[in-house]
Amino acid sequence: MVKIDLHIHSALSACAENIMSPGRIMAHARKAGVQMLAITDHNASANLYAARHCAQHHGLKLIPGIEVCTREEVHLLALFDSFADVDEFQQFIDKQLPELENLPDIYGYQVIYDKHDKIIDIDHRLRQAGIHISLEDTITKIHEYHGIAIPAHVMRPKFSVTSQLGFIDPESGFDLVEIAAPRWRREAHHLGEKICGFTAIPNSDAHFLDDVGRTAFELPRLPENLVELIELLASEKSTLG
C-alpha cells in the first residue's frame, strides 16, 4: 500500500513553523511512511523546487501545489503534475493577489529555503490574503493549467467552502473534497465516501513537522499522475493511515 498526504505547508506559509524546510519535511514524511505528498503553501510556491530535490533524495514523489485563498476566502488546494503548470498558475495568482506587505509580528515569517535547508530569502508580500478572483473562476483557471481543484477542510467553521458560502455546489467542478483530519477521525469517515457527489479524502494539513503524514490515506499502488489518482480514489476501497 502507498501512503499519501496531499496538504502540507512549508515555512513559506506564515502560519507554519519556521523550521518547516523542504528537507525536514521530506525526512519526516519518509519516517512516517509517506510515499507521495504535496507541498501546498498559501498563494505561494517558492519552496517547491528545493522540495523536489529533497523528495528525490528521499525517494518520494512530490506533487507541486498551492493552497489558494479565493475572493470569498475559501481555501482551495490546486495540485499539478507539471512544475511548468504550477509556475504559470503562480504567475496568475501573483497578478490577482492584493499588493499588501506581510506583517510577520502578526502573521509570522514567510521563509524560503534552498535544497540544503538554508534560508535564502524572506517573502515580504502578504500571501494569506484572498485573491481578486472568485472560487468558480479559480477552479476554471486551475483546470486550464491541467491541475485539480480540492476545497480544503470543507466542514471547518473558517476558510472553508461551507463556512464562506454555506453549501457545497455539486456543479462546482471540484475534483475531490478534503475533510479536515480531526473531523475525519472523530466522525469515523472512510475513504470512498462522497460528499455532494465528490470523493472525500483526509490530509494532514501539516503546519508542524510532527504532523507530516500523521493523517494520510492509502492506495494499492503509486499513481502515475493526478488523473490516475482520482480514478484510484473513486474505485478502490482504501484505509486511513
Side-chain angles (χ1 to χ4, degrees), residues 71-91:
R71 184 174 65 197
E72 303 89 344
E73 295 195 314
V74 173
H75 285 189
L76 181 69
L77 302 179
L79 305 181
F80 303 86
D81 283 318
S82 163
F83 276 74
D85 286 335
V86 80
D87 286 346
E88 290 193 46
F89 184 68
Q90 181 67 70
Q91 292 175 34

Side-chain angles (χ1 to χ4, degrees), residues 33-53:
V34 173
Q35 293 164 270
M36 172 187 277
L37 71 162
I39 301 297
T40 52
D41 287 311
H42 291 293
N43 292 325
S45 59
N47 274 337
L48 284 179
Y49 282 92
R52 180 170 66 175
H53 172 87

Side-chain angles (χ1 to χ4, degrees), residues 148-169:
I148 66 172
I150 309 171
H153 38 71
V154 292
M155 307 294 187
R156 189 173 288 177
K158 191 175 183 180
F159 298 126
S160 72
V161 65
T162 54
S163 71
Q164 304 308 108
L165 301 181
F167 65 100
I168 301 172
D169 182 0

